[in-house]
Amino acid sequence: ILTPFNFTRRKTGSNDVTFKVAYCGICHTDLHQTRNEWKNSQYPMVPGHEIVGTVIEVGSQVKNFTVGDRVGVGCMVWSCQQCDSCSKDQEQYCEKIVWTYNGIYVDGSPTFGGYSSLMVCDQRFVVKIPENLPFDAAAPLLCAGITVYSPMKYFQMTEPGRSLGVVGLGGLGHMAVKFGKAFGLQVTVISTSPHKEKEAREDLGADHFIVSKDQKQMQEAAKSLDYIIDTVSADHPLQLLINLLKQNGKLVLVGLPEKPLYFHPAMLIFGRRFVGGSMIGGMKETQEMLDFCAEHNISCVIENIPMDYVNTA
């Protein structure tokens, strides 16, 4: 149960941006962390890492943000800036990364997330929210959006006319469909829920829909996809999905189930297929993703709720 508690944000430092929180998305990570399902939770905890708001103060060394700017903070608030990952603008893989919440900041204090009225963050981990993006629907882009955008760019899932499978039509999945269509891909949604077909096709523009529990549909779709983004965070069979890949096909995991997933190596070897994983993007890529969304009029499908409904949500 999430219960309010009072804490004091640090004062705005020379490199900090302080903003009034307007909206904060609820991420499945928040559920994992509040329930301690990943066995690393520290309490008391303030979740939330899809945060947007309006700047109310900037530090003396801040050059790119001013009072009144629309800004956002995603999953991380600090990295070492010295390792190989940081030097390649891949701060999300820094071994010393500090997460937006349930982490320990460089000054030794715990980090608290966006279920809050105020946020203070180092300028390097703040992004600008383009003016034409809806403020509330832009918030989940900072986790759900970048989590699918980053692997699509890295694994070159952007060639028009190619085929993309999206497993799961939740927060990450519906963004993968939107990005896929923006990149010019043929998009197939793969779901355990037949009732999601209408949403996938009519609302999101998916080209095809497969019920993963339907053996006939899965067999008919064998070797039909160039890429698959697997967003499912629950336990599920991987071999059935690998069988959907063409030769040289790539399956990328972005969901994080509790238990290990299994497949036989022959599924990869006889077809030169690839299974990989990816998480959020670096700060440069996150800003690129937001600008891409602004250009293509992409934002998240959301439901706005009041804060006192958060436990039910």
Side-chain angles (χ1 to χ4, degrees):
I1 299 295
L2 300 172
T3 55
F5 81 98
N6 294 318
F7 63 92
T8 302
R9 294 283 188 186
R10 72 174 186 271
K11 293 183 179 180
T12 308
S14 59
N15 285 297
D16 287 334
V17 173
T18 297
F19 62 94
K20 178 177 172 51
V21 176
Y23 299 97
C24 180
I26 296 178
C27 177
H28 202 281
T29 296
D30 301 340
L31 202 61
H32 285 306
Q33 294 285 26
T34 55
R35 292 174 174 176
N36 195 25
E37 290 178 347
W38 293 339
K39 311 304 179 189
N40 67 345
S41 298
Q42 305 171 65
Y43 305 104
M45 178 193 301
V46 178
H49 60 201
E50 301 173 342
I51 316 161
V52 296
T54 303
V55 176
I56 58 175
E57 187 178 20
V58 297
S60 59
Q61 299 300 311
V62 174
K63 306 299 181 187
N64 295 324
F65 301 96
T66 59
V67 172
D69 282 353
R70 299 187 346 149
V71 297
V73 170
C75 302
M76 53 186 171
V77 293
W78 191 85
S79 71
C80 76
Q81 301 295 307
Q82 297 176 343
C83 67
D84 185 58
S85 295
C86 288
S87 69
K88 296 176 179 176
D89 296 316
Q90 299 288 308
E91 301 96 336
Q92 72 273 30
Y93 297 115
C94 174
E95 292 188 5
K96 296 181 179 179
I97 188 171
V98 177
W99 300 113
T100 302
Y101 72 92
N102 198 45
I104 301 297
Y105 200 62
V106 287
D107 62 5
S109 63
T111 56
F112 294 124
Y115 293 10
S116 175
S117 57
L118 197 69
M119 188 80 185
V120 183
C121 186
D122 186 295
Q123 63 177 327
R124 294 174 298 182
F125 295 90
V126 179
V127 289
K128 289 189 175 181
I129 306 298
E131 288 295 328
N132 66 318
L133 285 180
F135 215 11
D136 51 2
L141 293 173
L142 298 169
C143 178
I146 188 60
T147 297
V148 292
Y149 182 88
S150 184
M152 291 180 78
K153 290 300 293 286
Y154 181 81
F155 291 104
Q156 300 176 321
M157 302 180 179
T158 56
E159 187 177 341
R162 295 279 191 170
S163 53
L164 169 71
V166 177
V167 186
L169 197 63
L172 276 70
H174 91 284
M175 289 310 305
V177 175
K178 289 191 173 192
F179 286 138
K181 295 305 297 180
F183 286 132
L185 304 176
Q186 286 282 314
V187 180
T188 298
V189 171
I190 304 152
S191 174
T192 59
S193 306
H195 71 271
K196 289 191 175 182
E197 181 170 4
K198 184 175 184 294
E199 178 188 2
R201 290 182 181 272
E202 297 181 12
D203 298 341
L204 300 173
D207 301 283
H208 308 285
F209 187 90
I210 298 173
V211 179
S212 57
K213 293 180 179 178
D214 188 320
Q215 189 174 358
K216 184 173 182 291
Q217 288 188 27
M218 293 291 282
Q219 288 176 345
E220 289 175 348
K223 299 181 180 180
S224 66
L225 301 175
D226 293 295
Y227 325 113
I228 294 175
I229 294 278
D230 185 346
T231 72
V232 176
S233 58
D235 298 332
H236 60 290
L238 215 54
Q239 290 205 167
L240 295 175
L241 299 177
I242 295 173
N243 195 50
L244 300 177
L245 290 173
K246 297 178 182 179
Q247 179 180 319
N248 300 322
K250 303 168 186 174
L251 186 156
V252 180
L253 302 168
V254 292
L256 204 58
E258 282 188 71
K259 298 177 182 178
L261 301 175
Y262 295 96
F263 58 86
H264 196 285
M267 299 292 294
L268 305 185
I269 293 170
F270 293 98
R272 196 163 62 188
R273 295 155 164 160
F274 302 85
V275 174
S278 181
M279 56 186 293
I280 57 170
M283 296 312 301
K284 182 178 179 181
E285 190 172 49
T286 301
Q287 187 66 62
E288 174 192 311
M289 179 270 307
L290 288 168
D291 295 340
F292 180 87
C293 288
E295 180 183 350
H296 294 273
N297 195 29
I298 294 173
S299 60
C300 299
V301 176
I302 60 166
E303 174 190 356
N304 271 316
I305 62 165
M307 198 61 193
D308 58 11
Y309 184 74
V310 69
N311 286 308
T312 303

